[in-house]
Amino acid sequence: MTTPAVPAAPRIPEAVHRRRWAILGVLMLSLLIVVLDNSILNVAIKTISTPAPTGLGATQSELEWAINSYTLVFAGLLFTAGLLGDRIGRKKVLIGGLVVFGIGSALAAESGTPVQLIAFRAVMGLGAAFVMPATLAVLMNVFEREEQPKAIGIWAGGVGLAIAIGPITGGLLLDHFWWGSVFLVNVPIVIIAVVLMLALVPDSKDPKPGRVDLVGVVLSIVGLVLLVYGIIKGGDEGDFTSAPVLATIVAGIVVLAGFVVYEKRSDHPSIDINYFKNKVFSAAIAAIALVFFALMGVTFFSVFYTQSVRGYSPLQTGALMLPLAVAQLIFAPRARIVVDRFGVKATTTGGLVLLAAMLAAFTVLDADTPIWLLEVIFFLMGTGMAHVMTPTSVVIMQALPREKAGSASALSNTFRQVGGALGIAVLGSVLSTAYRSGLESHTDKLGLLPAGLRDTAGASIEATLGVAEKLGPRAQGLVGAANDSFLHAMHVTALCGAAVALLSAVVTCLFLPGKAPTAPAAPRDEQEKVGAGS
C-alpha cells in the first residue's frame, strides 16, 4: 500500500507567507518615492530653469547634472548597497536608505543655487541606492518561486503608478507652491513608509555574504562621472573634438576598463563578471540598459516640447504624460500572460520594436500637431515598456539563487540607472548641440542680440526665450527661431533614441529564450495507475 505524497511545506515562514501581499504593498510604497521623485522632476525642469525668484535659472547642462548627480551616485552604489543588505539585513538597509533619502529631499527643497541642488540630489541618490535593490530582494524572499513572476509584475506596475501620479502631483504642486515643493513632498511619504516597514516587513540576509568592494565602488563612480561629465561638457560647448572633452571621455573609459579588469581579478568583486557568461542574463541586462538609455533621453526633451514650444502649464504637461504611465500600469502586471503564450524573446523584442517606432514618431511632431497624436505615442511607448521590463526583470531575478536576490536586483537596477544616466548625457548633448547649431543658422535673428547674450541664448530653448522676453519687440523673430531650432533638435534626438531601441531589439532577438516547451501530459494509463495507488 502506497502513501499519498505530502506537498512540501513552503520555504517561507508561515507568518511571513500570510502577509506577503501586505509586505509587497509596503515595498511598493518605498519604491514609489524613488520613482515619484524623478517623474515629478521631469515636470519641474522648465520651472527650475527659469530665473529667480520663480526658479534657479539653471542652464541645460546644470539640469542634466541635477538629474545625473542623483543617477550616478545611485548607480555607483547600488551593488554595494545590495551586498550590505545581504550582509547586515535588507530591512535595516531599506529603512536607513529611506531616512537618508528623506533628509536629502528636505535639503534639495531649500536649495538656493543650481550647485546646491546638484549636491543635495546626490544625497538623495545615496539614499535611493539602498532602497531600490532592497525592495526587490525582500520581495524575492517573501514569495515562493512560482508566485515571483506575478509579484514582480505587480511591482513593475507600481513603477507605472509612480510614473502616472508623479507628473500630475508635480503639476499641482507647481501650480500652488514654489518649485522646492516637488522635493519636500517626499518627506511625509518617507515617514509613512518607515513606520509600515517597522511593523510589517521581515528582515533577511545572505548566510554567506560577500565582502564590500570599496576599490570597485570608487573606480565605478569615478569612471562614470568622468565619462558623463565629458559627454555633457561636449554637448554644452557644441564641440566633442576639443582636447578637454576628449581627454575626460577617454579617461572615463580607461577607468571603467580598469574597473572591469579589477573585478575579474578580485576575490570579492562588486560585480561578478562570471554572471555575464550567461548570454540570456547578459541580453536581459543589456535590454534594460538600452531601453532606459532611449527613454530617459526622450523624456528629458518632451517636457520642453510641451511647455516651451506648445505653451502648456506644468499641470497640463503632467496630464499629457499620463498615457505613458497608464499603459505601464495596465500592461506590466499582464505581461507575464503574453510571455506564457509567446515566450520571453517574442514579447521583449516586440515591445522594443514598438518603443523604437514610437520614438521615431516624435519626428512628425511640430508646433501645431494635434495633441492627441502625442497622447497615442505616449500610450504605445508605455505599452512597449511594460512588455520589456516585466519579462527581463523575471529573467534576471531568477538567474541567481534566492539568497543572492540583493545582488541580482542591484545588477538590474545598476544597469538601468547607468543606461538612463548615459541616455540623458548622450541624448541631452545631441539635443543641446543640434539646438545650438540650428539657432546659429538663424544668423539674422541672432544679429539682433548683443554679442554677450548670443552664447547665453544658445544654451537652451528656455535661455533663448528668457533673452527674447527681456529684449521685447526687438527680438520678435527670436521666439520663432528658437521653436524651429528646438523642433529640429528634438527630431534628431528622437531618431537617435529609436536607433538605440532597435539595437536592443536585435540583442534580445538573438539571445533571449523563446517560448518554453509545454510539458507533455502523462499517458492515461499512467494517470490511472497513480490514481489507483492506495
mmCIF file with all atom_site columns, all heavy atoms in Angstrom, residues 191-215:
data_model
loop_
_atom_site.group_PDB
_atom_site.id
_atom_site.type_symbol
_atom_site.label_atom_id
_atom_site.label_alt_id
_atom_site.label_comp_id
_atom_site.label_asym_id
_atom_site.label_entity_id
_atom_site.label_seq_id
_atom_site.pdbx_PDB_ins_code
_atom_site.Cartn_x
_atom_site.Cartn_y
_atom_site.Cartn_z
_atom_site.occupancy
_atom_site.B_iso_or_equiv
_atom_site.pdbx_formal_charge
_atom_site.auth_seq_id
_atom_site.auth_comp_id
_atom_site.auth_asym_id
_atom_site.auth_atom_id
_atom_site.pdbx_PDB_model_num
ATOM 1   N N   . ILE A 1 191 ? 8.178  59.063 5.963  1.00 0.00 ? 191 ILE A N   1
ATOM 2   C CA  . ILE A 1 191 ? 7.776  58.787 7.344  1.00 0.00 ? 191 ILE A CA  1
ATOM 3   C C   . ILE A 1 191 ? 6.770  57.633 7.397  1.00 0.00 ? 191 ILE A C   1
ATOM 4   O O   . ILE A 1 191 ? 6.890  56.699 8.204  1.00 0.00 ? 191 ILE A O   1
ATOM 5   C CB  . ILE A 1 191 ? 7.187  60.054 7.989  1.00 0.00 ? 191 ILE A CB  1
ATOM 6   C CG1 . ILE A 1 191 ? 8.292  61.121 8.139  1.00 0.00 ? 191 ILE A CG1 1
ATOM 7   C CG2 . ILE A 1 191 ? 6.580  59.737 9.355  1.00 0.00 ? 191 ILE A CG2 1
ATOM 8   C CD1 . ILE A 1 191 ? 7.778  62.482 8.567  1.00 0.00 ? 191 ILE A CD1 1
ATOM 9   N N   . ILE A 1 192 ? 5.756  57.670 6.520  1.00 0.00 ? 192 ILE A N   1
ATOM 10  C CA  . ILE A 1 192 ? 4.742  56.607 6.482  1.00 0.00 ? 192 ILE A CA  1
ATOM 11  C C   . ILE A 1 192 ? 5.393  55.269 6.132  1.00 0.00 ? 192 ILE A C   1
ATOM 12  O O   . ILE A 1 192 ? 5.114  54.233 6.751  1.00 0.00 ? 192 ILE A O   1
ATOM 13  C CB  . ILE A 1 192 ? 3.639  56.960 5.460  1.00 0.00 ? 192 ILE A CB  1
ATOM 14  C CG1 . ILE A 1 192 ? 2.863  58.197 5.920  1.00 0.00 ? 192 ILE A CG1 1
ATOM 15  C CG2 . ILE A 1 192 ? 2.690  55.773 5.263  1.00 0.00 ? 192 ILE A CG2 1
ATOM 16  C CD1 . ILE A 1 192 ? 1.920  58.757 4.871  1.00 0.00 ? 192 ILE A CD1 1
ATOM 17  N N   . ALA A 1 193 ? 6.281  55.282 5.133  1.00 0.00 ? 193 ALA A N   1
ATOM 18  C CA  . ALA A 1 193 ? 6.918  54.037 4.697  1.00 0.00 ? 193 ALA A CA  1
ATOM 19  C C   . ALA A 1 193 ? 7.765  53.423 5.803  1.00 0.00 ? 193 ALA A C   1
ATOM 20  O O   . ALA A 1 193 ? 7.751  52.203 6.001  1.00 0.00 ? 193 ALA A O   1
ATOM 21  C CB  . ALA A 1 193 ? 7.786  54.305 3.455  1.00 0.00 ? 193 ALA A CB  1
ATOM 22  N N   . VAL A 1 194 ? 8.506  54.249 6.554  1.00 0.00 ? 194 VAL A N   1
ATOM 23  C CA  . VAL A 1 194 ? 9.354  53.731 7.632  1.00 0.00 ? 194 VAL A CA  1
ATOM 24  C C   . VAL A 1 194 ? 8.510  53.088 8.728  1.00 0.00 ? 194 VAL A C   1
ATOM 25  O O   . VAL A 1 194 ? 8.829  52.007 9.232  1.00 0.00 ? 194 VAL A O   1
ATOM 26  C CB  . VAL A 1 194 ? 10.242 54.858 8.212  1.00 0.00 ? 194 VAL A CB  1
ATOM 27  C CG1 . VAL A 1 194 ? 10.907 54.414 9.510  1.00 0.00 ? 194 VAL A CG1 1
ATOM 28  C CG2 . VAL A 1 194 ? 11.309 55.273 7.204  1.00 0.00 ? 194 VAL A CG2 1
ATOM 29  N N   . VAL A 1 195 ? 7.394  53.737 9.097  1.00 0.00 ? 195 VAL A N   1
ATOM 30  C CA  . VAL A 1 195 ? 6.514  53.195 10.144 1.00 0.00 ? 195 VAL A CA  1
ATOM 31  C C   . VAL A 1 195 ? 5.962  51.833 9.718  1.00 0.00 ? 195 VAL A C   1
ATOM 32  O O   . VAL A 1 195 ? 5.977  50.863 10.487 1.00 0.00 ? 195 VAL A O   1
ATOM 33  C CB  . VAL A 1 195 ? 5.366  54.184 10.460 1.00 0.00 ? 195 VAL A CB  1
ATOM 34  C CG1 . VAL A 1 195 ? 4.331  53.528 11.365 1.00 0.00 ? 195 VAL A CG1 1
ATOM 35  C CG2 . VAL A 1 195 ? 5.911  55.443 11.109 1.00 0.00 ? 195 VAL A CG2 1
ATOM 36  N N   . LEU A 1 196 ? 5.467  51.731 8.475  1.00 0.00 ? 196 LEU A N   1
ATOM 37  C CA  . LEU A 1 196 ? 4.914  50.473 7.989  1.00 0.00 ? 196 LEU A CA  1
ATOM 38  C C   . LEU A 1 196 ? 6.001  49.400 7.851  1.00 0.00 ? 196 LEU A C   1
ATOM 39  O O   . LEU A 1 196 ? 5.750  48.215 8.105  1.00 0.00 ? 196 LEU A O   1
ATOM 40  C CB  . LEU A 1 196 ? 4.225  50.692 6.640  1.00 0.00 ? 196 LEU A CB  1
ATOM 41  C CG  . LEU A 1 196 ? 2.946  51.532 6.676  1.00 0.00 ? 196 LEU A CG  1
ATOM 42  C CD1 . LEU A 1 196 ? 2.437  51.797 5.268  1.00 0.00 ? 196 LEU A CD1 1
ATOM 43  C CD2 . LEU A 1 196 ? 1.870  50.840 7.504  1.00 0.00 ? 196 LEU A CD2 1
ATOM 44  N N   . MET A 1 197 ? 7.190  49.831 7.464  1.00 0.00 ? 197 MET A N   1
ATOM 45  C CA  . MET A 1 197 ? 8.309  48.899 7.337  1.00 0.00 ? 197 MET A CA  1
ATOM 46  C C   . MET A 1 197 ? 8.630  48.250 8.678  1.00 0.00 ? 197 MET A C   1
ATOM 47  O O   . MET A 1 197 ? 8.831  47.036 8.776  1.00 0.00 ? 197 MET A O   1
ATOM 48  C CB  . MET A 1 197 ? 9.527  49.668 6.824  1.00 0.00 ? 197 MET A CB  1
ATOM 49  C CG  . MET A 1 197 ? 10.656 48.811 6.306  1.00 0.00 ? 197 MET A CG  1
ATOM 50  S SD  . MET A 1 197 ? 10.342 48.222 4.643  1.00 0.00 ? 197 MET A SD  1
ATOM 51  C CE  . MET A 1 197 ? 10.078 49.754 3.783  1.00 0.00 ? 197 MET A CE  1
ATOM 52  N N   . LEU A 1 198 ? 8.685  49.070 9.715  1.00 0.00 ? 198 LEU A N   1
ATOM 53  C CA  . LEU A 1 198 ? 8.984  48.551 11.050 1.00 0.00 ? 198 LEU A CA  1
ATOM 54  C C   . LEU A 1 198 ? 7.927  47.554 11.512 1.00 0.00 ? 198 LEU A C   1
ATOM 55  O O   . LEU A 1 198 ? 8.230  46.580 12.201 1.00 0.00 ? 198 LEU A O   1
ATOM 56  C CB  . LEU A 1 198 ? 9.091  49.713 12.052 1.00 0.00 ? 198 LEU A CB  1
ATOM 57  C CG  . LEU A 1 198 ? 10.317 50.627 11.891 1.00 0.00 ? 198 LEU A CG  1
ATOM 58  C CD1 . LEU A 1 198 ? 10.162 51.881 12.751 1.00 0.00 ? 198 LEU A CD1 1
ATOM 59  C CD2 . LEU A 1 198 ? 11.599 49.882 12.262 1.00 0.00 ? 198 LEU A CD2 1
ATOM 60  N N   . ALA A 1 199 ? 6.673  47.787 11.113 1.00 0.00 ? 199 ALA A N   1
ATOM 61  C CA  . ALA A 1 199 ? 5.575  46.955 11.600 1.00 0.00 ? 199 ALA A CA  1
ATOM 62  C C   . ALA A 1 199 ? 5.411  45.645 10.833 1.00 0.00 ? 199 ALA A C   1
ATOM 63  O O   . ALA A 1 199 ? 5.035  44.628 11.412 1.00 0.00 ? 199 ALA A O   1
ATOM 64  C CB  . ALA A 1 199 ? 4.272  47.753 11.537 1.00 0.00 ? 199 ALA A CB  1
ATOM 65  N N   . LEU A 1 200 ? 5.696  45.650 9.538  1.00 0.00 ? 200 LEU A N   1
ATOM 66  C CA  . LEU A 1 200 ? 5.302  44.516 8.706  1.00 0.00 ? 200 LEU A CA  1
ATOM 67  C C   . LEU A 1 200 ? 6.441  43.711 8.081  1.00 0.00 ? 200 LEU A C   1
ATOM 68  O O   . LEU A 1 200 ? 6.331  42.489 7.946  1.00 0.00 ? 200 LEU A O   1
ATOM 69  C CB  . LEU A 1 200 ? 4.394  45.015 7.565  1.00 0.00 ? 200 LEU A CB  1
ATOM 70  C CG  . LEU A 1 200 ? 2.988  45.480 7.937  1.00 0.00 ? 200 LEU A CG  1
ATOM 71  C CD1 . LEU A 1 200 ? 2.302  46.076 6.723  1.00 0.00 ? 200 LEU A CD1 1
ATOM 72  C CD2 . LEU A 1 200 ? 2.173  44.308 8.472  1.00 0.00 ? 200 LEU A CD2 1
ATOM 73  N N   . VAL A 1 201 ? 7.485  44.371 7.675  1.00 0.00 ? 201 VAL A N   1
ATOM 74  C CA  . VAL A 1 201 ? 8.479  43.718 6.811  1.00 0.00 ? 201 VAL A CA  1
ATOM 75  C C   . VAL A 1 201 ? 9.480  42.907 7.631  1.00 0.00 ? 201 VAL A C   1
ATOM 76  O O   . VAL A 1 201 ? 10.065 43.422 8.586  1.00 0.00 ? 201 VAL A O   1
ATOM 77  C CB  . VAL A 1 201 ? 9.222  44.771 5.957  1.00 0.00 ? 201 VAL A CB  1
ATOM 78  C CG1 . VAL A 1 201 ? 10.327 44.110 5.136  1.00 0.00 ? 201 VAL A CG1 1
ATOM 79  C CG2 . VAL A 1 201 ? 8.239  45.480 5.037  1.00 0.00 ? 201 VAL A CG2 1
ATOM 80  N N   . PRO A 1 202 ? 9.680  41.625 7.290  1.00 0.00 ? 202 PRO A N   1
ATOM 81  C CA  . PRO A 1 202 ? 10.685 40.810 7.993  1.00 0.00 ? 202 PRO A CA  1
ATOM 82  C C   . PRO A 1 202 ? 12.082 41.145 7.497  1.00 0.00 ? 202 PRO A C   1
ATOM 83  O O   . PRO A 1 202 ? 12.253 41.626 6.378  1.00 0.00 ? 202 PRO A O   1
ATOM 84  C CB  . PRO A 1 202 ? 10.300 39.385 7.593  1.00 0.00 ? 202 PRO A CB  1
ATOM 85  C CG  . PRO A 1 202 ? 9.738  39.541 6.221  1.00 0.00 ? 202 PRO A CG  1
ATOM 86  C CD  . PRO A 1 202 ? 9.005  40.863 6.212  1.00 0.00 ? 202 PRO A CD  1
ATOM 87  N N   . ASP A 1 203 ? 13.071 40.875 8.329  1.00 0.00 ? 203 ASP A N   1
ATOM 88  C CA  . ASP A 1 203 ? 14.447 41.078 7.887  1.00 0.00 ? 203 ASP A CA  1
ATOM 89  C C   . ASP A 1 203 ? 14.959 39.788 7.268  1.00 0.00 ? 203 ASP A C   1
ATOM 90  O O   . ASP A 1 203 ? 14.473 38.694 7.564  1.00 0.00 ? 203 ASP A O   1
ATOM 91  C CB  . ASP A 1 203 ? 15.330 41.494 9.067  1.00 0.00 ? 203 ASP A CB  1
ATOM 92  C CG  . ASP A 1 203 ? 16.531 42.328 8.612  1.00 0.00 ? 203 ASP A CG  1
ATOM 93  O OD1 . ASP A 1 203 ? 16.704 42.481 7.386  1.00 0.00 ? 203 ASP A OD1 1
ATOM 94  O OD2 . ASP A 1 203 ? 17.265 42.845 9.482  1.00 0.00 ? 203 ASP A OD2 1
ATOM 95  N N   . SER A 1 204 ? 15.917 39.925 6.386  1.00 0.00 ? 204 SER A N   1
ATOM 96  C CA  . SER A 1 204 ? 16.537 38.751 5.765  1.00 0.00 ? 204 SER A CA  1
ATOM 97  C C   . SER A 1 204 ? 17.939 39.130 5.347  1.00 0.00 ? 204 SER A C   1
ATOM 98  O O   . SER A 1 204 ? 18.248 40.300 5.150  1.00 0.00 ? 204 SER A O   1
ATOM 99  C CB  . SER A 1 204 ? 15.731 38.289 4.543  1.00 0.00 ? 204 SER A CB  1
ATOM 100 O OG  . SER A 1 204 ? 15.698 39.303 3.557  1.00 0.00 ? 204 SER A OG  1
ATOM 101 N N   . LYS A 1 205 ? 18.803 38.128 5.241  1.00 0.00 ? 205 LYS A N   1
ATOM 102 C CA  . LYS A 1 205 ? 20.176 38.373 4.823  1.00 0.00 ? 205 LYS A CA  1
ATOM 103 C C   . LYS A 1 205 ? 20.736 37.123 4.171  1.00 0.00 ? 205 LYS A C   1
ATOM 104 O O   . LYS A 1 205 ? 20.148 36.035 4.266  1.00 0.00 ? 205 LYS A O   1
ATOM 105 C CB  . LYS A 1 205 ? 21.036 38.802 6.011  1.00 0.00 ? 205 LYS A CB  1
ATOM 106 C CG  . LYS A 1 205 ? 21.130 37.758 7.127  1.00 0.00 ? 205 LYS A CG  1
ATOM 107 C CD  . LYS A 1 205 ? 22.055 38.218 8.257  1.00 0.00 ? 205 LYS A CD  1
ATOM 108 C CE  . LYS A 1 205 ? 21.489 39.389 9.017  1.00 0.00 ? 205 LYS A CE  1
ATOM 109 N NZ  . LYS A 1 205 ? 22.323 39.743 10.201 1.00 0.00 ? 205 LYS A NZ  1
ATOM 110 N N   . ASP A 1 206 ? 21.858 37.292 3.494  1.00 0.00 ? 206 ASP A N   1
ATOM 111 C CA  . ASP A 1 206 ? 22.545 36.169 2.868  1.00 0.00 ? 206 ASP A CA  1
ATOM 112 C C   . ASP A 1 206 ? 23.391 35.470 3.933  1.00 0.00 ? 206 ASP A C   1
ATOM 113 O O   . ASP A 1 206 ? 24.194 36.119 4.611  1.00 0.00 ? 206 ASP A O   1
ATOM 114 C CB  . ASP A 1 206 ? 23.448 36.707 1.751  1.00 0.00 ? 206 ASP A CB  1
ATOM 115 C CG  . ASP A 1 206 ? 24.108 35.603 0.937  1.00 0.00 ? 206 ASP A CG  1
ATOM 116 O OD1 . ASP A 1 206 ? 24.081 34.442 1.385  1.00 0.00 ? 206 ASP A OD1 1
ATOM 117 O OD2 . ASP A 1 206 ? 24.647 35.907 -0.136 1.00 0.00 ? 206 ASP A OD2 1
ATOM 118 N N   . PRO A 1 207 ? 23.231 34.149 4.120  1.00 0.00 ? 207 PRO A N   1
ATOM 119 C CA  . PRO A 1 207 ? 24.045 33.459 5.126  1.00 0.00 ? 207 PRO A CA  1
ATOM 120 C C   . PRO A 1 207 ? 25.540 33.488 4.813  1.00 0.00 ? 207 PRO A C   1
ATOM 121 O O   . PRO A 1 207 ? 26.369 33.334 5.704  1.00 0.00 ? 207 PRO A O   1
ATOM 122 C CB  . PRO A 1 207 ? 23.501 32.030 5.098  1.00 0.00 ? 207 PRO A CB  1
ATOM 123 C CG  . PRO A 1 207 ? 22.821 31.894 3.787  1.00 0.00 ? 207 PRO A CG  1
ATOM 124 C CD  . PRO A 1 207 ? 22.294 33.245 3.447  1.00 0.00 ? 207 PRO A CD  1
ATOM 125 N N   . LYS A 1 208 ? 25.883 33.700 3.529  1.00 0.00 ? 208 LYS A N   1
ATOM 126 C CA  . LYS A 1 208 ? 27.290 33.784 3.144  1.00 0.00 ? 208 LYS A CA  1
ATOM 127 C C   . LYS A 1 208 ? 27.519 35.044 2.313  1.00 0.00 ? 208 LYS A C   1
ATOM 128 O O   . LYS A 1 208 ? 27.725 34.984 1.094  1.00 0.00 ? 208 LYS A O   1
ATOM 129 C CB  . LYS A 1 208 ? 27.693 32.547 2.342  1.00 0.00 ? 208 LYS A CB  1
ATOM 130 C CG  . LYS A 1 208 ? 27.601 31.253 3.120  1.00 0.00 ? 208 LYS A CG  1
ATOM 131 C CD  . LYS A 1 208 ? 28.006 30.076 2.253  1.00 0.00 ? 208 LYS A CD  1
ATOM 132 C CE  . LYS A 1 208 ? 27.905 28.758 3.034  1.00 0.00 ? 208 LYS A CE  1
ATOM 133 N NZ  . LYS A 1 208 ? 28.258 27.591 2.174  1.00 0.00 ? 208 LYS A NZ  1
ATOM 134 N N   . PRO A 1 209 ? 27.444 36.219 2.961  1.00 0.00 ? 209 PRO A N   1
ATOM 135 C CA  . PRO A 1 209 ? 27.563 37.473 2.208  1.00 0.00 ? 209 PRO A CA  1
ATOM 136 C C   . PRO A 1 209 ? 28.997 37.711 1.737  1.00 0.00 ? 209 PRO A C   1
ATOM 137 O O   . PRO A 1 209 ? 29.953 37.231 2.326  1.00 0.00 ? 209 PRO A O   1
ATOM 138 C CB  . PRO A 1 209 ? 27.152 38.531 3.234  1.00 0.00 ? 209 PRO A CB  1
ATOM 139 C CG  . PRO A 1 209 ? 27.535 37.927 4.546  1.00 0.00 ? 209 PRO A CG  1
ATOM 140 C CD  . PRO A 1 209 ? 27.305 36.459 4.405  1.00 0.00 ? 209 PRO A CD  1
ATOM 141 N N   . GLY A 1 210 ? 29.119 38.489 0.685  1.00 0.00 ? 210 GLY A N   1
ATOM 142 C CA  . GLY A 1 210 ? 30.444 38.838 0.193  1.00 0.00 ? 210 GLY A CA  1
ATOM 143 C C   . GLY A 1 210 ? 31.010 40.039 0.933  1.00 0.00 ? 210 GLY A C   1
ATOM 144 O O   . GLY A 1 210 ? 30.303 40.745 1.637  1.00 0.00 ? 210 GLY A O   1
ATOM 145 N N   . ARG A 1 211 ? 32.323 40.232 0.774  1.00 0.00 ? 211 ARG A N   1
ATOM 146 C CA  . ARG A 1 211 ? 32.961 41.419 1.343  1.00 0.00 ? 211 ARG A CA  1
ATOM 147 C C   . ARG A 1 211 ? 32.653 42.622 0.472  1.00 0.00 ? 211 ARG A C   1
ATOM 148 O O   . ARG A 1 211 ? 32.472 42.513 -0.738 1.00 0.00 ? 211 ARG A O   1
ATOM 149 C CB  . ARG A 1 211 ? 34.474 41.203 1.407  1.00 0.00 ? 211 ARG A CB  1
ATOM 150 C CG  . ARG A 1 211 ? 34.923 40.204 2.465  1.00 0.00 ? 211 ARG A CG  1
ATOM 151 C CD  . ARG A 1 211 ? 36.330 39.708 2.202  1.00 0.00 ? 211 ARG A CD  1
ATOM 152 N NE  . ARG A 1 211 ? 37.265 40.824 2.051  1.00 0.00 ? 211 ARG A NE  1
ATOM 153 C CZ  . ARG A 1 211 ? 38.478 40.703 1.516  1.00 0.00 ? 211 ARG A CZ  1
ATOM 154 N NH1 . ARG A 1 211 ? 38.876 39.525 1.070  1.00 0.00 ? 211 ARG A NH1 1
ATOM 155 N NH2 . ARG A 1 211 ? 39.268 41.757 1.426  1.00 0.00 ? 211 ARG A NH2 1
ATOM 156 N N   . VAL A 1 212 ? 32.583 43.799 1.102  1.00 0.00 ? 212 VAL A N   1
ATOM 157 C CA  . VAL A 1 212 ? 32.302 45.028 0.362  1.00 0.00 ? 212 VAL A CA  1
ATOM 158 C C   . VAL A 1 212 ? 33.550 45.432 -0.424 1.00 0.00 ? 212 VAL A C   1
ATOM 159 O O   . VAL A 1 212 ? 34.654 45.477 0.115  1.00 0.00 ? 212 VAL A O   1
ATOM 160 C CB  . VAL A 1 212 ? 31.876 46.159 1.324  1.00 0.00 ? 212 VAL A CB  1
ATOM 161 C CG1 . VAL A 1 212 ? 31.685 47.450 0.553  1.00 0.00 ? 212 VAL A CG1 1
ATOM 162 C CG2 . VAL A 1 212 ? 30.593 45.772 2.039  1.00 0.00 ? 212 VAL A CG2 1
ATOM 163 N N   . ASP A 1 213 ? 33.359 45.721 -1.697 1.00 0.00 ? 213 ASP A N   1
ATOM 164 C CA  . ASP A 1 213 ? 34.453 46.036 -2.607 1.00 0.00 ? 213 ASP A CA  1
ATOM 165 C C   . ASP A 1 213 ? 34.595 47.556 -2.749 1.00 0.00 ? 213 ASP A C   1
ATOM 166 O O   . ASP A 1 213 ? 34.065 48.152 -3.682 1.00 0.00 ? 213 ASP A O   1
ATOM 167 C CB  . ASP A 1 213 ? 34.168 45.378 -3.963 1.00 0.00 ? 213 ASP A CB  1
ATOM 168 C CG  . ASP A 1 213 ? 35.209 45.718 -5.010 1.00 0.00 ? 213 ASP A CG  1
ATOM 169 O OD1 . ASP A 1 213 ? 36.328 46.110 -4.634 1.00 0.00 ? 213 ASP A OD1 1
ATOM 170 O OD2 . ASP A 1 213 ? 34.896 45.588 -6.202 1.00 0.00 ? 213 ASP A OD2 1
ATOM 171 N N   . LEU A 1 214 ? 35.332 48.180 -1.819 1.00 0.00 ? 214 LEU A N   1
ATOM 172 C CA  . LEU A 1 214 ? 35.456 49.640 -1.817 1.00 0.00 ? 214 LEU A CA  1
ATOM 173 C C   . LEU A 1 214 ? 36.216 50.142 -3.041 1.00 0.00 ? 214 LEU A C   1
ATOM 174 O O   . LEU A 1 214 ? 35.852 51.163 -3.633 1.00 0.00 ? 214 LEU A O   1
ATOM 175 C CB  . LEU A 1 214 ? 36.155 50.101 -0.541 1.00 0.00 ? 214 LEU A CB  1
ATOM 176 C CG  . LEU A 1 214 ? 35.366 49.899 0.763  1.00 0.00 ? 214 LEU A CG  1
ATOM 177 C CD1 . LEU A 1 214 ? 36.190 50.350 1.962  1.00 0.00 ? 214 LEU A CD1 1
ATOM 178 C CD2 . LEU A 1 214 ? 34.041 50.662 0.716  1.00 0.00 ? 214 LEU A CD2 1
ATOM 179 N N   . VAL A 1 215 ? 37.274 49.437 -3.429 1.00 0.00 ? 215 VAL A N   1
ATOM 180 C CA  . VAL A 1 215 ? 38.047 49.861 -4.602 1.00 0.00 ? 215 VAL A CA  1
ATOM 181 C C   . VAL A 1 215 ? 37.170 49.835 -5.852 1.00 0.00 ? 215 VAL A C   1
ATOM 182 O O   . VAL A 1 215 ? 37.179 50.778 -6.666 1.00 0.00 ? 215 VAL A O   1
ATOM 183 C CB  . VAL A 1 215 ? 39.278 48.952 -4.795 1.00 0.00 ? 215 VAL A CB  1
ATOM 184 C CG1 . VAL A 1 215 ? 40.008 49.312 -6.093 1.00 0.00 ? 215 VAL A CG1 1
ATOM 185 C CG2 . VAL A 1 215 ? 40.229 49.077 -3.615 1.00 0.00 ? 215 VAL A CG2 1
#
